[in-house]
């Protein structure tokens, strides 16, 4: 048993002994089917604390010849699959955590050589029948020699594979050397039975192509059937809430929202901390400081700040992830930044609609921390007005709502610039920021009656609040906005979804810089 070659099962044993453990061993049969096939290269990218390392430790404990893990897996989900006994502790494993070799930027010029040296040293001990291995400095050459002499291949399990791109964000030469090292280690090498890598970022692209195009990628953008194996599912969280006497609805509000393969996925770290400490709050800052988020949202490409404001208002934004270079330094469009935020876990992605949004209350707290300073002046104050504005809406007080909108406009003019009707929509979404506690995600340009209503808020179940149908006008008439809702029957489409409905007409006069608002109850 070694540290890197044929390691033991201590890390997986600790996971099993923890107070909260969710059985994800049914990942094993899926990976088994990849061994010694053309599809034996897997790269799984997820945000921090999504169970990537736990899965890597589990696979290492399962495959490694350096331990006997039969008792650890007894009764687990994977044991019911026919392939389970075939591969249990039957493979030579090379297990690497790249971050261990990159403790600081000073290691960037030496870490590849240190990896090769450490692994070759253990290979020499593990294969005494192959003399002279330590004389060769290249790891791929040593592995080829072992395979030629013994016909024994290897399973590679590499965690934090992408930390190079996070430590050396701007150093393209180091990034390229590292990708060349991995390509040489894996591409067209007979000794590779399986290569399984995990990290936060998908594989870095150069231009339109990936330098490691032999890998199948399983990411936050395209989970490809592995979504439920990284993170907790709704059913798993519900069961743990029952076991620990915690309110599932509150847990859902704080930590639900990541969409993968049609499943709602929770960050395991946050759920476990909430269960352990019996307290709902943002645990994200324990893994990523808010400054990391601030760096990216301050890059105001193509209206990025307006998109963030809309998403804080519970809206969604279209995003095209195809242009992203999968690093933390190459940004040419708003979509590149939004794609990175999806990969980092600050946003989630709906593949069906091609939209991104803020997943839950925990991540909202991180956004709010990030916008308190520099370039976001007035936004925090604007959001703080939201609860009072929502109450005024329910009270049919159009004058108070108009005053609230004017104050929000004044506080955020430097961000929104108020140059078109889209900015008015952003203001409305900001104004109804507090609506997320009572309403589902706002629907923008919802098809209703004979046209499209600008914004519709449908209430959550059992909250006892009216639906809101909002029509916005720019240099027009506020009474005309209300009349348009009536004439085009915007509210008729949602009659079957709710009891009371409020019609809200808003007009912004650019000349006088004033807002008007009329609120009426809809008569069915």
């Amino acid at each position: 048993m070694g540290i890197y070659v044929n390691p033991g099962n201590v890390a997986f044993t600790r996971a099993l002994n923890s107070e909260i453990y969710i059985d994800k061993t049914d990942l094993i049969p899926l990976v088994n089917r990849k061994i010694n096939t053309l599809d034996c290269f897997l790269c799984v990218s997820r945000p921090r604390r999504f169970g990537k390392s736990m899965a890597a430790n589990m696979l290492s404990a399962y495959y490694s010849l350096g331990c006997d893990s039969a008792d650890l897996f007894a009764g687990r989900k994977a044991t019911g699959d026919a392939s389970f006994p075939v591969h249990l502790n039957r493979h030579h494993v090379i297990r690497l955590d790249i971050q261990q070799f990159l403790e600081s930027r000073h290691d960037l010029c030496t870490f590849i050589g240190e990896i090769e040296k450490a692994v070759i040293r253990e290979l020499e001990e593990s294969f005494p029948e192959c003399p002279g291995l330590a004389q060769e400095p290249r790891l791929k050459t040593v592995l080829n020699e072992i395979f030629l002499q013994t016909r024994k291949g290897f399973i590679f399990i590499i965690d934090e594979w992408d930390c190079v791109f996070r430590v050396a964000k701007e150093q393209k030469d180091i990034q390229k050397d590292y990708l060349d090292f991995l390509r040489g280690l894996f591409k067209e090498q007979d000794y590779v039975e399986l290569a399984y890598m995990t990290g936060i970022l998908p594989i870095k692209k150069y231009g339109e192509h990936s330098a490691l195009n032999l890998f199948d990628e399983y990411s936050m953008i395209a989970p490809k059937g592995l979504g439920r194996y990284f993170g907790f599912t709704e059913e798993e969280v519900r069961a743990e809430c029952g076991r620990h006497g915690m309110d599932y609805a509150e847990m859902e509000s704080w930590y639900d929202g990541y969409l993968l393969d049609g499943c709602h996925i929770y960050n395991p770290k946050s759920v476990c901390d909430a269960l352990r400490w019996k307290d709902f709050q943002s645990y994200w800052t324990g893994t990523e400081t808010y400054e990391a988020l601030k760096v990216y949202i301050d890059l105001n490409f193509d209206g990025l700040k307006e998109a963030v404001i809309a998403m804080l208002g519970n809206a969604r934004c279209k995003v095209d992830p195809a242009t992203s270079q999968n690093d933390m330094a190459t940004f040419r469009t708003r979509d590149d930044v939004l794609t990175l935020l999806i990969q980092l876990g600050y946003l989630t992605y709906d593949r069906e609609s091609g939209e991104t949004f803020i997943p839950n209350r925990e991540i909202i707290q991180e956004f709010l921390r990030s916008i308190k300073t520099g370039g976001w002046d007035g936004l925090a104050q604007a959001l703080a007005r939201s609860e009072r504005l929502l109450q005024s809406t329910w009270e049919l007080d159009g004058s108070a709502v108009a005053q609230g909108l004017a104050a929000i406009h004044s506080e955020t003019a430097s961000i929104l610039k108020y140059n078109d009707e889209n900015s008015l929509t952003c203001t409305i979404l900001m104004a109804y920021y507090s609506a997320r506690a009572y309403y589902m995600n706002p629907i923008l340009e919802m098809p209703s009656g004979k046209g499209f209503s600008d914004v519709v808020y449908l209430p959550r179940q059992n909250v006892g609040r009216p639906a809101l149908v909002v029509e916005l006008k720019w240099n027009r008439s506020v009474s005309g906005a209300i009349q348009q809702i009536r004439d085009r029957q915007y509210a008729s489409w949602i009659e079957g979804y709710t009891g009371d409905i409020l019609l809200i007409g808003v007009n912004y006069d650019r000349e006088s810089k004033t807002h008007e608002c009329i609120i009426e109850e809809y008569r069915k």
Side-chain angles (χ1 to χ4, degrees), residues 186-251:
F186 296 133
K187 191 173 180 63
E188 298 181 358
Q189 299 290 7
D190 292 339
Y191 56 72
V192 179
E193 296 179 337
L194 176 77
Y196 175 93
M197 302 197 308
T198 70
I200 295 175
L201 300 175
I203 292 172
K204 161 73 179 173
K205 298 176 185 175
Y206 281 107
E208 298 179 354
H209 305 287
S210 167
L212 291 174
N213 55 11
L214 64 165
F215 277 84
D216 288 324
E217 297 207 60
Y218 304 82
S219 67
M220 294 293 282
I221 301 291
K224 299 177 183 175
L226 296 190
R228 65 190 182 92
Y229 300 104
F230 301 90
F232 293 165
T233 66
E234 180 179 351
E235 294 76 13
E236 291 164 346
V237 174
R238 193 182 293 274
E240 289 299 316
C241 284
R243 194 162 71 89
H244 289 80
M246 296 286 283
D247 181 8
Y248 172 73
E250 190 72 2
M251 186 75 76

Side-chain angles (χ1 to χ4, degrees), residues 159-408:
D159 200 10
E160 300 285 356
W161 89 271
D162 63 321
C163 69
V164 178
F165 302 96
R166 291 181 271 125
V167 176
K169 295 180 184 180
E170 306 283 354
Q171 294 174 261
K172 306 280 188 179
D173 53 339
I174 289 175
Q175 295 177 15
K176 192 171 186 308
D177 286 347
Y178 175 58
L179 289 173
D180 289 343
F181 164 68
L182 293 177
R183 184 173 58 242
L185 189 62
F186 296 133
K187 191 173 180 63
E188 298 181 358
Q189 299 290 7
D190 292 339
Y191 56 72
V192 179
E193 296 179 337
L194 176 77
Y196 175 93
M197 302 197 308
T198 70
I200 295 175
L201 300 175
I203 292 172
K204 161 73 179 173
K205 298 176 185 175
Y206 281 107
E208 298 179 354
H209 305 287
S210 167
L212 291 174
N213 55 11
L214 64 165
F215 277 84
D216 288 324
E217 297 207 60
Y218 304 82
S219 67
M220 294 293 282
I221 301 291
K224 299 177 183 175
L226 296 190
R228 65 190 182 92
Y229 300 104
F230 301 90
F232 293 165
T233 66
E234 180 179 351
E235 294 76 13
E236 291 164 346
V237 174
R238 193 182 293 274
E240 289 299 316
C241 284
R243 194 162 71 89
H244 289 80
M246 296 286 283
D247 181 8
Y248 172 73
E250 190 72 2
M251 186 75 76
E252 180 184 36
S253 171
W254 270 96
Y255 310 116
D256 185 20
Y258 295 99
L259 299 179
L260 298 171
D261 293 325
C263 296
H264 285 251
I265 299 296
Y266 293 66
N267 183 323
K269 163 69 173 172
S270 300
V271 171
C272 288
D273 282 352
L275 293 172
R276 287 168 58 216
W277 307 120
K278 306 296 189 215
D279 186 23
F280 297 108
Q281 59 174 282
S282 175
Y283 294 101
W284 194 267
T285 49
T287 59
E288 288 278 358
T289 62
Y290 75 87
E291 288 89 350
L293 171 60
K294 180 175 174 54
V295 167
Y296 299 112
I297 64 174
D298 280 350
L299 297 171
N300 193 21
F301 286 114
D302 192 24
L304 177 63
K305 287 186 177 181
E306 284 87 344
V308 170
I309 289 171
M311 289 187 289
L312 282 170
N314 218 21
R316 297 181 172 206
C317 292
K318 284 286 187 181
V319 60
D320 178 8
T323 62
S324 173
Q325 297 302 295
N326 296 339
D327 63 21
M328 303 181 80
T330 307
F331 305 111
R332 293 170 295 190
T333 67
R334 182 184 79 166
D335 286 349
D336 293 342
V337 181
L338 292 176
T339 301
L340 176 62
L341 294 180
I342 294 169
Q343 293 161 351
L344 295 176
Y346 289 111
L347 298 175
T348 189
Y349 180 66
D350 186 337
R351 283 180 58 83
E352 290 189 6
S353 65
E355 295 172 322
T356 187
F357 55 96
I358 301 173
N360 52 48
R361 286 171 65 185
E362 178 181 47
I363 305 303
I364 287 173
Q365 298 304 311
E366 299 309 307
F367 273 92
L368 293 180
R369 290 188 181 102
S370 298
I371 63 178
K372 284 183 177 178
T373 59
W376 298 84
D377 296 340
L379 182 55
Q381 296 93 317
L383 295 176
R385 295 179 182 274
S386 177
E387 187 67 36
R388 180 61 251 171
L389 189 142
L390 190 59
Q391 290 289 341
S392 297
T393 302
W394 293 332
E395 295 165 4
L396 309 185
D397 191 343
S399 176
V401 170
Q403 291 177 16
L405 291 174
I408 291 172

